[in-house]
Amino acid sequence: MRVAFYNQMFGTSGRSLTEFLHVHLLHGLQKYHLIENIADVSKTIKTVKESNSDIIGISEIVGIKQRESIIKQLTDIGYKYFHTGIGHGLGNKYGGHVESIVASKEQSECFYSPIFFTPNRSGFGGGIIGIFLPLKNLYIMQVHMPLARIYRRTHSSFKKQLKTVMNKIEDMIEKDPKIKMIMMGDFNMDFKHLCKIDKRFNRYFTKISAMGATCTFVPFIKHFYQKDIDHVLGYNQSSIDKGFIEGESDHRLVWVDVEG
């Protein structure tokens, strides 16, 4: 079974320096209708289709309209079950939230969907969602964490969301140490530092996705910031194969093959 995660950068092109800067400026100014005008989620679907994944997580979705478009196109390529995580608000003018989804080709159900009350500003997280696959007896937790750097206004929200999710995971593992779980997403932090911030990462999880930079691949900027911040982690799970796919986003799609 192949599990994959992709931060789609709102369905815009992160491989163009001009568009990357333009989109992030619009995001900061909350001009989401202008982002919507230049977004093309068919590029996201093309990358997902190339991944040939059974489970796909997608983050940085601009509200309900874009989510519905992505779900429709994912349905056309074989996905049947969809689950949504709600991130920070998109402001009063546009409405809605930045969102994440997990889509599955086989039966799945939601078991966890926390909502954090954060400012309607960029950087405060893109949604968290947990699903269960009964035929595989597998739990999947997907996150898109706030920006983590300590001098940023988002740091306290990062710590709160991380602690909340890890408390949930710890409770599940303590109740049943034999459960199988995958945790994946955009953590906005490398795995080594995650383990330093919360030692439960090192206790429970192994990084089963490929080692290597996942963000950013924007011309020029990549020479100053290129880090491994998108992970697939396993508890009682290991990888058979793993890799990356280059799409249009400033992030790579991360995929892992697991047994089952």
Side-chain angles (χ1 to χ4, degrees), residues 74-96:
L74 286 175
T75 301
D76 292 340
I77 61 172
Y79 293 90
K80 298 178 181 178
Y81 298 86
F82 304 93
H83 312 278
T84 304
I86 303 297
H88 70 78
L90 297 175
N92 294 328
K93 290 184 179 179
Y94 189 83

Side-chain angles (χ1 to χ4, degrees), residues 112 128 141 143 161-169 183:
Y112 188 58
I128 294 170
M141 182 79 76
V143 304
Q161 292 190 33
L162 192 68
K163 182 178 180 180
T164 300
V165 173
M166 291 307 292
N167 285 348
K168 174 67 175 178
I169 289 171
M183 187 179 188

Side-chain angles (χ1 to χ4, degrees), residues 146-159 188-189 197:
L147 295 173
R149 282 168 282 181
I150 194 166
Y151 56 86
R152 286 188 176 271
R153 67 191 187 279
T154 57
H155 184 67
S156 61
S157 185
F158 172 87
K159 291 193 297 183
N188 268 308
M189 182 174 285
I197 286 181

Side-chain angles (χ1 to χ4, degrees), residues 9-43:
M9 206 188 93
F10 306 118
T12 60
S13 179
R15 303 302 170 109
S16 160
L17 177 60
T18 303
E19 189 158 323
F20 172 87
L21 294 174
H22 185 210
V23 168
H24 281 80
L25 174 62
L26 294 176
H27 186 27
L29 296 174
Q30 297 186 335
K31 295 185 180 294
Y32 296 106
H33 61 288
L34 297 179
I35 293 178
E36 186 178 56
N37 290 341
I38 61 176
D40 182 0
V41 296
S42 67
K43 296 176 181 178

Side-chain angles (χ1 to χ4, degrees), residues 106-118:
E106 70 169 57
Q107 182 183 353
S108 58
E109 55 196 48
C110 174
F111 75 88
Y112 188 58
S113 183
I115 296 178
F116 297 93
F117 296 97
T118 61

Side-chain angles (χ1 to χ4, degrees), residues 4 18 28 53 77 85 90-91 97 147 184 197 199 227 231:
T18 303
S53 50
I77 61 172
L90 297 175
H97 297 81
L147 295 173
M184 67 180 185
I197 286 181
K199 290 181 171 53
K227 295 187 178 182
H231 313 298

Side-chain angles (χ1 to χ4, degrees), residues 91-247:
N92 294 328
K93 290 184 179 179
Y94 189 83
H97 297 81
V98 63
E99 299 182 355
S100 297
I101 64 167
V102 181
S104 172
K105 290 180 178 178
E106 70 169 57
Q107 182 183 353
S108 58
E109 55 196 48
C110 174
F111 75 88
Y112 188 58
S113 183
I115 296 178
F116 297 93
F117 296 97
T118 61
N120 293 340
R121 297 173 64 184
S122 62
F124 279 90
I128 294 170
I129 186 74
I131 71 166
F132 177 63
L133 280 65
L135 298 180
K136 296 287 191 294
N137 194 29
L138 174 66
Y139 292 90
I140 298 177
M141 182 79 76
Q142 178 179 288
V143 304
H144 184 182
M145 301 302 298
L147 295 173
R149 282 168 282 181
I150 194 166
Y151 56 86
R152 286 188 176 271
R153 67 191 187 279
T154 57
H155 184 67
S156 61
S157 185
F158 172 87
K159 291 193 297 183
K160 178 181 179 181
Q161 292 190 33
L162 192 68
K163 182 178 180 180
T164 300
V165 173
M166 291 307 292
N167 285 348
K168 174 67 175 178
I169 289 171
E170 183 172 51
D171 182 62
M172 294 172 66
I173 291 174
E174 286 183 348
K175 288 178 179 177
D176 182 7
K178 294 182 179 180
I179 68 170
K180 297 187 297 181
M181 181 180 293
I182 287 173
M183 187 179 188
M184 67 180 185
D186 181 349
F187 291 79
N188 268 308
M189 182 174 285
D190 63 70
F191 186 61
K192 179 180 178 180
H193 283 90
L194 282 171
C195 292
K196 287 183 178 180
I197 286 181
D198 193 320
K199 290 181 171 53
R200 291 175 293 185
F201 275 100
N202 198 40
R203 187 188 317 156
Y204 298 135
F205 289 108
T206 301
K207 181 176 168 67
I208 61 175
S209 53
M211 301 297 294
T214 63
C215 175
T216 177
F217 292 89
V218 184
F220 182 70
I221 293 176
K222 66 183 179 181
H223 299 296
F224 302 92
Y225 183 92
Q226 195 170 74
K227 295 187 178 182
D228 185 1
I229 61 174
D230 304 278
H231 313 298
V232 182
L233 312 175
Y235 175 79
N236 288 333
Q237 285 282 278
S238 57
S239 60
I240 301 169
D241 199 3
K242 52 197 169 184
F244 304 112
I245 293 177
E246 311 292 340

